[in-house]
Amino acid sequence: MTSSVVEAGPAAGTVVASAEYRISRADLVRYAGASHDFNPLHWSPRIAAAAGLPGVIAHGTLLLGLVTRLLNGWLGDPGRLDELTFRFLRPVVVPDDDVSVAMRAQVAERHPDGRVAVTVVGSVEGTGTVGRGRAIVRPPD
């Protein structure tokens, strides 16, 4: 008789990581320098208003970096992140007094190969969900 051991892991519905990240206008300027993305929508209130935005907005890639930071904090090894998709639903406006972006990762389903599908949601108080995605990961032991 052959038996196999199925590794225990987080069950569907389990929140495996959550964090709140503060983003300031100074962060946007530093990120622009590091990424070479000097689009004035990220630093000029006048240009943002002319484009129909309610204010200066965070870089999408900065927000995506927060998603990977959240997941890697849980996983402990970036090599455990196999796939990631993320869709931005609305811009993150960064006022003079900063903004707080909440990120949450929750197990959606377990795969037979031991990997886990995780739903990641980003939200801002007063704005609601600003982005949603899905990651396929190899959870930590």
Side-chain angles (χ1 to χ4, degrees), residues 13-26:
T14 303
V15 175
V16 292
S18 63
E20 208 163 290
Y21 302 101
R22 299 285 307 164
I23 301 175
S24 69
R25 294 260 179 102

Side-chain angles (χ1 to χ4, degrees), residues 67 71 81-85 116-120 133-137:
V67 171
L71 292 171
L81 176 60
D82 288 345
E83 298 175 28
L84 176 63
T85 58
V116 174
V118 178
T119 301
V120 182
R134 184 173 175 97
I136 305 296
V137 304

Side-chain angles (χ1 to χ4, degrees), residues 23 28 41-42 55-63 91-94 99 101:
I23 301 175
L28 298 183
L41 295 175
H42 304 302
V56 170
I57 60 171
H59 301 75
T61 50
L62 171 61
L63 297 170
V92 173
V93 177
V94 182
V99 68
V101 179

Side-chain angles (χ1 to χ4, degrees), residues 54-121:
V56 170
I57 60 171
H59 301 75
T61 50
L62 171 61
L63 297 170
L64 189 56
L66 297 179
V67 171
T68 59
R69 181 177 175 185
L70 176 76
L71 292 171
N72 289 333
W74 165 53
L75 296 169
D77 174 2
R80 291 183 173 277
L81 176 60
D82 288 345
E83 298 175 28
L84 176 63
T85 58
F86 197 80
R87 180 175 178 170
F88 299 100
L89 304 174
R90 56 184 52 91
V92 173
V93 177
V94 182
D96 283 337
D97 59 350
D98 306 348
V99 68
S100 182
V101 179
M103 294 282 179
R104 181 178 49 99
Q106 184 173 5
V107 174
E109 64 184 353
R110 293 182 48 83
H111 292 195
D113 64 3
R115 296 186 308 163
V116 174
V118 178
T119 301
V120 182
V121 176

